[in-house]
Amino acid sequence: QKEVEQNSGPLSVPEGAIASLNCTYSDRGSQSFFWYRQYSGKSPELIMFIYSNGDKEDGRFTAQLNKASQYVSLLIRDSQPSDSATYLCAGGTDKLIFGTGTRLQVFP
Amino acid sequence: EPEVTQTPSHQVTQMGQEVILRCVPISNHLYFYWYRQILGQKVEFLVSFYNNEISEKSEIFDDQFSVERPDGSNFTLKIRSTKLEDSAMYFCASSAQGSGYTFGSGTRLTVV
């Protein structure tokens, strides 16, 4: 069974801090990994995707992939209250397998 | 910015009735998907569709489910005889190969 595991949280960080979200996956065949943000009652919104080992930066967001450890992470710098949401990690080649999501709370 | 459009936003149906959920994917995307999310649970893959045929389906996607691309723009999910456990948010998604999906805003299906 292919799984993507995330800590459900909540992860609470103060405004301006770095939020670190982590994810592990079981399928070594997965080629692509995605981070989605989901506000309550809304659809997932793509933040970043990463294919290669290492880091990928986009604005305040950095995705990290370590295929040997089957580990994906998302760092959010200068966290804002508007970043408060559930962050979904997903991996796969065609279809995506989603984790349960980590709820992030950024408090002022 | 291009978006995936889903209708209706909310559908209430009686158990045993047929429902059709509609989606208009992004126009230059070639891969189409349906996912569902039961309240409080993870997003689950249902089916992927490419080149006018199903490319993969999950165990959830049994004979009660079907998909169709009737006119080259719409992409529909039909549930023939709804059950209480079909109550969920249903998300349509599309992608151009090599990028992440874009999800539609979802249809909340409530089976009573």
Side-chain angles (χ1 to χ4, degrees):
Chain A
Q1 182 89 2
K2 298 174 184 175
E3 297 282 348
V4 173
E5 301 286 344
Q6 293 181 258
N7 187 319
S8 61
L11 172 66
S12 292
V13 300
E15 185 174 357
I18 295 175
S20 177
L21 303 159
N22 305 311
C23 167
T24 58
Y25 61 94
S26 64
D27 180 19
R28 286 196 173 272
S30 291
Q31 298 295 313
S32 313
F33 300 90
F34 302 85
W35 283 99
Y36 285 86
R37 177 174 59 200
Q38 187 176 32
Y39 294 110
S40 181
K42 302 295 185 183
S43 62
E45 174 192 3
L46 181 65
I47 299 173
M48 290 191 69
F49 58 90
I50 186 166
Y51 302 141
S52 305
N53 275 328
D55 296 359
K56 179 181 178 183
E57 188 173 316
D58 184 0
R60 296 187 296 115
F61 300 96
T62 298
Q64 299 173 316
L65 173 60
N66 183 326
K67 290 188 178 181
S69 301
Q70 296 175 250
Y71 177 87
V72 192
S73 66
L74 179 71
L75 300 178
I76 306 175
R77 287 180 297 282
D78 189 24
S79 296
Q80 301 297 309
S82 58
D83 294 327
S84 298
T86 298
Y87 288 79
L88 309 179
C89 173
T93 304
D94 179 19
K95 74 178 186 188
L96 292 185
I97 305 298
F98 281 82
T100 53
T102 298
R103 189 156 60 95
L104 173 66
Q105 295 175 338
V106 181
F107 56 91
Chain B
E1 187 168 328
E3 59 180 31
V4 176
T5 305
Q6 287 188 247
T7 55
S9 57
H10 192 187
Q11 172 100 39
V12 181
T13 188
Q14 288 202 322
M15 192 168 54
Q17 295 297 303
E18 174 182 288
V19 294
I20 297 177
L21 310 182
R22 302 181 192 279
C23 169
V24 179
I26 293 172
S27 61
N28 63 344
H29 284 184
L30 301 177
Y31 298 81
F32 313 115
Y33 309 86
W34 283 99
Y35 282 75
R36 79 173 186 189
Q37 187 175 31
I38 295 170
L39 186 64
Q41 298 187 23
K42 64 173 69 174
V43 176
E44 300 176 290
F45 170 77
L46 292 179
V47 65
S48 58
F49 192 87
Y50 171 71
N51 202 24
N52 285 320
E53 60 182 25
I54 291 173
S55 48
E56 189 170 356
K57 58 184 181 179
S58 72
E59 295 170 350
I60 302 167
F61 195 89
D62 61 21
D63 292 344
Q64 295 300 313
F65 291 85
S66 62
V67 290
E68 200 174 44
R69 191 159 157 79
D71 56 12
S73 61
N74 291 285
F75 180 50
T76 63
L77 174 69
K78 182 193 292 186
I79 308 174
R80 269 180 264 284
S81 178
T82 49
K83 303 186 281 285
L84 294 176
E85 54 265 37
D86 294 327
S87 296
M89 281 288 285
Y90 287 81
F91 295 111
C92 174
S94 68
S95 76
Q97 191 174 18
S99 63
Y101 300 170
T102 299
F103 280 88
S105 55
T107 294
R108 180 173 299 283
L109 176 65
T110 303
V111 182
V112 298

